[in-house]
């Protein structure tokens, strides 16, 4: 009977789910942390790190969503931001300065696609797996909202904002160790202007996962910034 119970524990909770023990999670976290710090562009390693270390932050984020009307709506409907769900032609036709237009501009300028986000594998809860998926899929929208490019400097600034907002250890690590590869001049701008602004904005802003971005494409970026409580970029 015990064997049956044990087997029950290891079943797949959603497509792609890989059940892991706490020890396996710790090993995955350590390995992915080393790789992610060595090469911050290894998105797969950054993703694994986020999933294996997010056990405290993810339930907290889910509760924030559950207790907010728009966040609750997102958890109920589970929208996805992918090329298959985006009407790119419509977004391109929106006025300059609107969230949709600036988001598409960010994708085009930086040659990135929303489809490169890895689906979760190691989160042992189907609802929390959606929360981390959503966090990943709105990451490019954070760049758009914060007015940050997809280069190393912009990535570090967004990570500081996300670290304060989400409490995900992966963001904290990225924020702390991301700058090691930047030049002295960039480090100076980062330390004196950009990071303090990102931290202040992250602390001041309401939870960015509680915005149903797909229903806000027409909204000007500036008005959404104000609504959330993100200070204008320096």
């Amino acid at each position: 009977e015990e064997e049956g119970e044990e087997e029950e524990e290891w079943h797949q909770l959603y497509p792609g789910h890989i059940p892991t023990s706490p020890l396996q999670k710790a090993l995955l976290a350590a390995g992915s942390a080393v790789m992610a710090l060595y090469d911050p562009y290894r998105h797969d390693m950054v993703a694994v790190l986020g999933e294996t270390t997010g056990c405290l932050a993810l339930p907290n984020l889910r509760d924030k969503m559950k207790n907010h009307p728009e966040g609750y709506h997102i958890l109920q409907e589970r929208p996805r931001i992918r090329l298959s769900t985006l009407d790119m032609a419509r977004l391109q036709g929106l006025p300059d300065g609107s969230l949709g237009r600036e988001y598409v501009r960010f994708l085009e300028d930086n040659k990135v696609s929303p489809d490169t986000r890895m689906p979760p594998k190691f989160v042992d809860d189907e609802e929390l797996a959606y929360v981390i998926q959503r966090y990943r899929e709105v990451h490019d929208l954070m760049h758009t909202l914060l007015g940050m490019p997809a280069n190393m400097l912009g990535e570090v600034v967004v990570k500081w904002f996300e670290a304060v907002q989400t409490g995900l250890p992966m963001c904290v690590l990225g924020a702390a160790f991301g700058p090691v590869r930047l030049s002295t001049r960039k480090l100076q701008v980062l330390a004196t202007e950009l990071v303090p602004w990102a931290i202040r904005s992250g602390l001041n802003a309401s939870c960015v996962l509680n915005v149903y971005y797909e229903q806000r494409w027409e909204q000007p970026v500036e008005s959404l910034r104000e609504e959330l409580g993100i200070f204008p970029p320096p």
Side-chain angles (χ1 to χ4, degrees), residues 31-53:
S32 58
V34 171
M35 283 307 294
L37 293 177
Y38 176 69
D39 180 3
Y41 291 101
R42 281 290 301 270
H43 292 297
D44 54 341
M45 290 294 129
V46 176
V48 170
L49 182 61
E51 291 174 37
T52 49
T53 58

Side-chain angles (χ1 to χ4, degrees), residues 132-198:
I132 199 159
Q133 180 86 48
R134 182 69 177 171
Y135 154 73
R136 282 178 193 161
E137 290 183 359
V138 302
H139 176 76
D140 290 333
L141 281 157
M142 292 306 100
H143 278 274
T144 310
L145 266 181
L146 297 169
M148 286 294 140
N151 59 17
M152 200 64 207
L153 186 72
E155 206 56 68
V156 169
V157 175
V158 173
K159 276 283 173 279
W160 272 101
F161 177 81
E162 290 179 340
V164 174
Q165 271 271 316
T166 65
L168 283 165
M170 159 199 74
C171 299
V172 179
L173 268 174
F177 292 101
V180 293
R181 302 185 159 211
L182 294 172
S183 67
T184 317
R185 193 179 57 79
K186 282 184 176 166
L187 273 175
Q188 200 177 343
V189 175
L190 194 68
T192 55
E193 289 176 37
L194 294 173
V195 167
W197 163 73

Side-chain angles (χ1 to χ4, degrees), residues 38-108:
Y38 176 69
D39 180 3
Y41 291 101
R42 281 290 301 270
H43 292 297
D44 54 341
M45 290 294 129
V46 176
V48 170
L49 182 61
E51 291 174 37
T52 49
T53 58
C55 47
L56 297 172
L58 285 175
N60 190 17
L61 284 171
R62 174 189 53 193
D63 294 346
K64 279 185 183 172
M65 291 177 80
K66 279 196 162 159
N67 296 322
H68 183 279
E70 210 166 325
Y72 181 75
H73 200 45
I74 294 166
L75 278 179
Q76 294 299 303
E77 299 197 344
R78 302 209 181 174
R80 298 287 308 274
I81 298 177
R82 305 186 64 71
L83 287 176
S84 55
T85 61
L86 293 171
D87 182 346
M88 295 302 269
R90 182 181 149 244
L91 296 183
Q92 278 161 336
L94 289 172
D96 285 344
S98 64
L99 179 67
R101 182 68 196 95
E102 296 312 316
Y103 172 60
V104 171
R105 197 190 307 280
F106 171 83
L107 296 178
E108 288 167 348

